[in-house]
């Protein structure tokens, strides 16, 4: 769902073009320090607003990327207030993700004990594989994918561990159309949240044709001496692109997801890149993949790869400068967003049958949300069912 952060209005009024350029330059330095060094490693440092840079980095979940880029030197003068804020954000991220790792271990034990097939999505485990660091982006929730058939059993297993369904996610819209529920465990000291999924995209953007395939292709990563199930490398890339498409639909900042796209794609060989393209096509998500890849190229600098060559055609009517701002600063009043149905048409590969099916699903979801969504019920509630 779209989230309107209180900072949007202030950032829109400020314009903040210098601050957006500053954050983008830091991200490019993070991913390609050699190329930036060839350009003297300079990050533009005009009279930027520290508060605006902080908000842009926070909303895009890239503050630690910015901090690491600035630590590489040759970046001009960094305002001391900005460095202090970034370092504080890094410390909070470490604390949050350490708690998330503890929750991940406990949840694994519960679901494994019930012999429920599942896989972890995103979070510190993915960050370790993409960046060699569990603490690059804040993770407040543990995301889990199960098959639709195993959804109820997984929910009951989590209830046995003290998690309860959050009231806002009990509706038909959440369970049927979003395909997820939030579950919260509050022991008085802190609240832990699990996002339990059986779908991987919201209505309005194409969904994978075979969600169970993400479970079949899972890999394992060692954590605290235990093998944890995580989605495969090509699926990590595809899921990051799905997240970009979702944010694009909701007009939310998504530079953090775009960074994941670049990090995931850069770890694939050319043969694996072709496999990723073939796999995305099988899932009906070839153009979703290309949208994420094009966003990475325009935000972080293009790369001469098979994937980048294919990505240039998606949403070609949107210029690169506008696409950068749609990714990192979607609140800008100067942006002329394409209609959502136009984006859906492109992401469906301009296939009428697929488009009509996805548009119908989105319309049904919207109707369900209007009828069943009750915003007043937000506290975790125990069900007797």
């Amino acid at each position: 769902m779209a989230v309107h952060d209180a900072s949007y209005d202030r950032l829109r009024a400020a314009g903040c073009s210098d601050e957006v350029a500053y954050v983008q330059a830091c991200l490019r330095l993070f991913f390609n320090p050699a190329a930036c060094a060839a350009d003297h490693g300079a990050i533009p440092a005009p009279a930027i607003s520290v508060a605006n840079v902080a908000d842009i980095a926070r909303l895009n979940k890239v503050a630690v990327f910015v901090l690491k880029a600035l630590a590489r030197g040759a970046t001009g003068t960094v305002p001391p207030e900005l460095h202090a804020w970034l370092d504080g954000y890094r410390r909070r991220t470490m604390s949050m993700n350490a708690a998330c790792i503890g929750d991940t271990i406990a949840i694994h034990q519960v679901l494994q004990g019930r012999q429920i097939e599942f896989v972890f999505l995103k979070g510190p485990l993915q960050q370790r594989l993409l960046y060699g660091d569990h603490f690059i982006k804040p993770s407040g929730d543990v995301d889990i994918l199960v098959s639709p058939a195993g959804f109820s059993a997984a929910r009951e297993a989590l209830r046995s561990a003290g998690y309860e369904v959050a009231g806002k996610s009990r509706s038909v819209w959440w369970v049927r159309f979003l395909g997820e529920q939030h579950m919260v465990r509050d022991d008085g000291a802190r609240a832990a949240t699990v996002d339990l999924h059986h779908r991987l995209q919201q209505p309005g953007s194409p969904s994978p044709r075979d969600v169970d395939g993400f479970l079949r292709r899972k890999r394992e990563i060692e954590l605290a001496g235990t093998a944890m199930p995580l989605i495969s490398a090509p699926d990590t890339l595809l899921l990051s692109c799905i997240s970009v498409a979702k944010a694009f639909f909701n007009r939310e900042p998504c530079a953090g997801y775009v960074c994941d796209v670049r990090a995931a794609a850069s770890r694939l060989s050319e043969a694996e890149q072709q496999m990723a393209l073939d796999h995305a096509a099988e899932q009906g998500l070839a153009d979703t993949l290309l949208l994420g890849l094009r966003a990475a190229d325009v935000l972080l600098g293009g790369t001469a790869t098979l994937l980048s060559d294919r990505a240039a055609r998606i949403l070609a009517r949107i210029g690169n400068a506008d696409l950068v701002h749609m990714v990192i600063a979607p609140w800008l009043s100067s942006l002329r967003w394409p209609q959502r149905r136009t984006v859906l048409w492109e992401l469906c590969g301009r296939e009428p049958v697929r488009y009509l099916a996805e548009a119908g699903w989105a319309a049904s979801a919207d109707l369900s949300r209007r009828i069943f969504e009750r915003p007043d019920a937000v506290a975790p509630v125990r069900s007797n069912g």
Side-chain angles (χ1 to χ4, degrees):
M1 294 183 299
V3 177
H4 181 84
D5 190 276
S7 302
Y8 281 22
D9 292 335
R10 186 175 61 76
L11 291 169
R12 183 182 296 110
C16 60
S17 60
D18 287 338
E19 290 83 357
V20 169
Y22 187 87
V23 172
Q24 182 186 8
C26 288
L27 294 178
R28 290 193 169 202
L29 175 59
F30 177 89
F31 280 97
N32 199 349
C36 290
D39 293 331
H40 308 294
I43 289 179
I48 57 172
S49 162
V50 170
N52 288 347
V53 169
D55 276 337
I56 294 165
R58 174 181 61 83
L59 290 169
N60 283 280
K61 296 187 177 181
V62 295
V64 178
F65 294 83
V66 172
L67 179 65
K68 288 179 175 288
L70 294 175
R72 288 174 173 168
T75 57
T77 302
V78 181
E81 312 96 288
L82 176 59
H83 188 276
W85 183 88
L86 291 170
D87 189 59
Y89 186 98
R90 179 187 64 84
R91 293 174 184 274
R92 292 190 295 274
T93 297
M94 292 179 68
S95 176
M96 181 183 298
N97 288 18
C100 186
I101 290 171
D103 294 337
T104 297
I105 294 171
I107 290 166
H108 176 265
Q109 292 174 343
V110 171
L111 297 182
Q112 187 182 52
R114 295 287 186 96
Q115 296 184 324
I116 294 171
E117 186 177 13
F118 73 99
V119 67
F120 289 110
L121 307 170
K122 302 181 286 189
L125 296 182
Q126 176 179 291
Q127 293 175 37
R128 173 181 159 188
L129 291 179
L130 293 183
Y131 306 104
D133 187 343
H134 288 108
F135 310 108
I136 196 76
K137 295 199 301 181
S139 294
D141 307 331
V142 178
D143 286 275
I144 299 170
L145 175 68
V146 297
S147 69
F151 187 74
S152 295
R155 183 172 56 197
E156 292 308 313
L158 290 169
R159 278 179 171 156
S160 73
Y163 287 88
E164 294 298 340
V165 177
K168 68 177 182 178
S169 65
R170 292 168 57 89
S171 72
V172 172
W173 183 73
W174 276 85
V175 179
R176 170 65 175 158
F177 291 97
L178 281 188
E180 66 177 275
Q181 284 190 305
H182 295 321
M183 301 189 70
V184 180
R185 177 178 55 80
D186 193 341
D187 60 8
R190 60 177 284 268
T193 303
V194 175
D195 285 347
L196 180 62
H197 299 257
H198 67 82
R199 292 178 61 86
L200 287 176
Q201 183 57 290
Q202 70 174 42
S205 297
S207 301
R209 289 171 174 156
D210 178 21
V211 174
D212 285 354
F214 287 80
L215 298 170
R216 293 193 303 270
R217 292 182 297 273
K218 65 186 177 184
R219 54 182 162 170
E220 293 185 336
I221 177 173
E222 188 273 333
L223 179 65
T226 302
M228 299 286 181
L230 189 68
I231 56 175
S232 69
D235 283 337
T236 296
L237 171 59
L238 188 55
L239 181 60
S240 299
C241 292
I242 287 173
S243 297
V244 171
K246 178 180 178 181
F248 200 86
F249 178 86
N250 289 325
R251 300 180 183 180
E252 295 173 346
C254 60
Y257 289 131
V258 172
C259 289
D260 291 346
V261 171
R262 172 54 56 84
S266 67
R267 292 179 174 271
L268 301 180
S269 66
E270 186 164 333
E272 289 171 327
Q273 291 178 41
Q274 184 60 58
M275 289 174 59
L277 283 169
D278 294 341
H279 171 54
E282 292 170 0
Q283 289 278 9
L285 297 175
D287 293 287
T288 296
L289 175 67
L290 296 181
L291 173 61
L293 293 166
R294 185 183 170 213
D297 286 348
V298 299
L299 179 69
L300 305 171
T303 56
T305 66
L306 171 67
L307 295 176
S308 293
D309 290 344
R310 301 287 183 89
R313 67 172 177 81
I314 191 71
L315 293 177
R317 293 184 179 180
I318 300 176
N320 288 348
D322 281 342
L323 187 57
V324 166
H325 289 144
M326 289 173 179
V327 166
I328 197 172
W331 52 78
L332 292 178
S333 56
S334 60
L335 289 175
R336 302 201 177 276
W337 286 84
Q339 292 181 319
R340 288 185 172 90
R341 63 174 178 266
T342 301
V343 177
L344 179 59
W345 171 251
E346 290 239 9
L347 295 185
C348 288
R350 302 185 179 187
E351 298 176 5
V353 174
R354 182 83 193 279
Y355 170 78
L356 290 173
E358 293 290 351
W361 177 252
S364 299
D366 186 59
L367 179 61
S368 173
R369 184 178 183 183
R370 292 172 186 272
I371 294 173
F372 297 109
E373 185 85 346
R374 290 186 174 88
D376 56 325
V378 295
V381 176
R382 176 175 287 277
S383 169
N384 293 324

